[in-house]
Amino acid sequence: MLEKLKEKAESIAEEKAMVSFLKRFDENPFLVRFQNNEYLIGEGEPTFTVDFKKPIPVSELLKSTSIALGEAYMDKNLTIEGDLYNALVHFLGQMGKFSTDEKLLGKLLHPSVAKKFQAREVQSHYDIGNDFYKLWLDKTMSYSCAYFKHDDDDLYQAQVNKVDYILEKLHLKEGMTLLDIGCGWGFLLIEAAKKYKIKGMGITLSHEQYAEFNRRIEKMNLQDYLTVKLMDYRDLPKTGRKFDRVVSVGMVEHVGRDNYRLFNDCVKSVLKKGGLFLLHYISQLKEDSGNGWMQKYIFPGGELPSLREMVDIMAEEDFHILDIENLRRHYNKTLLCWDKNFHDHMDEIKKMFDERFIRMWDLYLAGCAAAFYTGVIEIHQILVTNGVNNDLPITRWY
């Protein structure tokens, strides 16, 4: 009897400690529910309820708020009554109140940037399976921010828009050479070959993407125009190749902060003088170690450059900036489309993966959409020339 009373007292103490921690997120009202008790955080009518099967130790929340809450959600120790996306907008809009103990999470937040480790990290995400990605991406198999030119653009049209927009910025002409670093399943290079008759090469570390891109090249009879290689960007200088244009979409986030300069060095080594380089990447406002849960479960080894640090590095490379554009709201809309597709194909996904993976992936898609909406992360396209180029059209929107 005394033992049960003691356990009950400890549980209530843990609840109250956890509620005290959660009170920091009080900008909008929400309800916290345990098995026997409810607590209102903030003032007003709650817009959602966070239901806990059991309290999370405050020590874990202080070590990494994102990992503690994320794992509780994955394990169904935490569920949301109401809209998950809206709840995540609430919490991520107050991301500055999250706790991260960098000393305890050092290896997770700052892993090795050696080739073998980075190849394994990239493959852990992109080699989950083409059949899985085909369920919730559009038919272009574009796994990056789309571009919604019109309110009624569907996801497919917006991905076509994005690629067209990038190719226009690169000012391509027939016969030019184009390198795509982190080429994914190849849609950008395929469109460039079909519309501009360029000679293109893509590189990726994903075996699944490599196989699918090769299949597409053969199916479309583009062997005379396109090649794809399983290659680390650090091996580009060894090829001895020079390209008129270089593009990289959603890849530099994987190289690690210590290698941002090296990445740009490698681009410089293969880009002709006066050539154009377009870098499209997820950014953050200031330099920090990022989200522990994302690095543990979704993008191991991933670090997001700030705009200012990337611009600083580019200046040292004699890369002259022509244009910088922020597409943050486009990525919010893209992710909401992906999350809808993910739920629309839930029956098929349940045959592929267990419930923990499904909850993890849903949290990832909805969480990223919320992060772009709240400005926790952004996405930039930077267009530069290698040295001075006086031959491009004088107007910005050529």
Side-chain angles (χ1 to χ4, degrees), residues 184-207:
W185 290 275
F187 183 68
L188 185 147
L189 280 174
I190 289 168
E191 290 293 284
K194 288 163 61 178
K195 293 180 179 179
Y196 295 93
K197 293 184 170 55
I198 56 87
K199 302 282 187 177
M201 183 175 91
I203 66 169
T204 179
L205 291 174
S206 166
H207 294 272

Side-chain angles (χ1 to χ4, degrees), residues 105-243:
L105 298 175
K107 290 184 178 180
L108 174 66
L109 299 177
H110 306 288
S112 170
V113 294
K115 283 183 182 179
K116 65 177 181 179
F117 293 115
Q118 290 196 316
R120 186 171 63 200
E121 289 162 356
V122 167
Q123 289 158 11
S124 74
H125 186 90
Y126 296 97
D127 284 352
I128 291 173
N130 289 338
D131 289 342
F132 170 61
Y133 283 107
K134 285 176 181 177
L135 289 175
W136 52 274
L137 297 177
D138 68 290
K139 64 182 180 181
T140 71
M141 291 292 282
S142 296
Y143 191 19
S144 57
C145 176
Y147 187 65
F148 295 86
K149 289 176 69 174
H150 308 102
D151 290 341
D152 59 350
D153 284 342
D154 62 14
L155 180 60
Y156 167 76
Q157 185 59 54
Q159 291 292 8
V160 172
N161 294 345
K162 183 269 298 296
V163 166
D164 285 345
Y165 195 32
I166 288 173
L167 299 181
E168 287 171 7
K169 286 185 177 183
L170 288 170
H171 198 56
L172 295 171
K173 295 180 181 178
E174 185 173 343
M176 280 186 171
T177 51
L178 171 62
L179 168 67
D180 187 351
I181 303 174
C183 61
W185 290 275
F187 183 68
L188 185 147
L189 280 174
I190 289 168
E191 290 293 284
K194 288 163 61 178
K195 293 180 179 179
Y196 295 93
K197 293 184 170 55
I198 56 87
K199 302 282 187 177
M201 183 175 91
I203 66 169
T204 179
L205 291 174
S206 166
H207 294 272
E208 292 275 319
Q209 291 178 344
Y210 172 79
E212 176 65 14
F213 191 5
N214 265 320
R215 187 193 68 78
R216 287 177 158 191
I217 290 171
E218 292 180 12
K219 182 180 179 181
M220 298 180 190
N221 294 314
L222 294 173
Q223 297 93 328
D224 293 338
Y225 292 94
L226 301 178
T227 58
V228 56
K229 297 183 181 298
L230 278 170
M231 180 187 292
D232 190 287
Y233 71 93
R234 284 164 281 199
D235 293 326
L236 283 168
K238 300 175 187 176
T239 67
R241 300 271 311 263
K242 290 285 185 179
F243 296 86

Side-chain angles (χ1 to χ4, degrees), residues 181-350:
I181 303 174
C183 61
W185 290 275
F187 183 68
L188 185 147
L189 280 174
I190 289 168
E191 290 293 284
K194 288 163 61 178
K195 293 180 179 179
Y196 295 93
K197 293 184 170 55
I198 56 87
K199 302 282 187 177
M201 183 175 91
I203 66 169
T204 179
L205 291 174
S206 166
H207 294 272
E208 292 275 319
Q209 291 178 344
Y210 172 79
E212 176 65 14
F213 191 5
N214 265 320
R215 187 193 68 78
R216 287 177 158 191
I217 290 171
E218 292 180 12
K219 182 180 179 181
M220 298 180 190
N221 294 314
L222 294 173
Q223 297 93 328
D224 293 338
Y225 292 94
L226 301 178
T227 58
V228 56
K229 297 183 181 298
L230 278 170
M231 180 187 292
D232 190 287
Y233 71 93
R234 284 164 281 199
D235 293 326
L236 283 168
K238 300 175 187 176
T239 67
R241 300 271 311 263
K242 290 285 185 179
F243 296 86
D244 298 294
R245 304 287 188 261
V246 176
V247 64
S248 184
V249 177
M251 180 273 176
V252 75
E253 302 92 319
H254 296 288
V255 308
R257 179 157 278 110
D258 291 343
N259 279 355
Y260 294 159
R261 178 64 186 269
L262 176 59
F263 174 81
N264 280 279
D265 286 344
C266 291
V267 173
K268 177 86 172 180
S269 73
V270 294
L271 182 59
K272 293 179 181 178
K273 193 70 174 175
L276 289 171
F277 168 40
L278 187 141
L279 179 65
H280 171 121
Y281 72 102
I282 300 171
S283 62
Q284 55 186 346
L285 195 61
K286 299 177 182 179
E287 305 77 33
D288 65 37
S289 300
N291 184 305
W293 181 82
M294 287 285 289
Q295 285 162 290
K296 184 174 182 179
Y297 288 102
I298 306 299
F299 291 114
E303 286 187 283
L304 304 181
S306 68
L307 177 61
R308 64 186 178 188
E309 68 182 320
M310 192 56 69
V311 167
D312 181 67
I313 291 168
M314 287 178 157
E316 296 301 316
E317 299 285 357
D318 195 32
F319 284 154
H320 291 247
I321 294 175
L322 297 179
D323 188 67
I324 298 177
E325 187 170 5
N326 188 329
L327 302 178
R328 175 181 64 84
R329 294 175 67 189
H330 291 272
Y331 218 159
N332 166 258
K333 194 168 182 177
T334 304
L335 278 150
L336 290 175
C337 289
W338 288 344
D339 197 40
K340 181 181 183 303
N341 290 346
F342 182 80
H343 283 274
D344 287 346
H345 291 276
M346 189 57 69
D347 289 344
E348 295 118 298
I349 292 170
K350 284 180 177 178

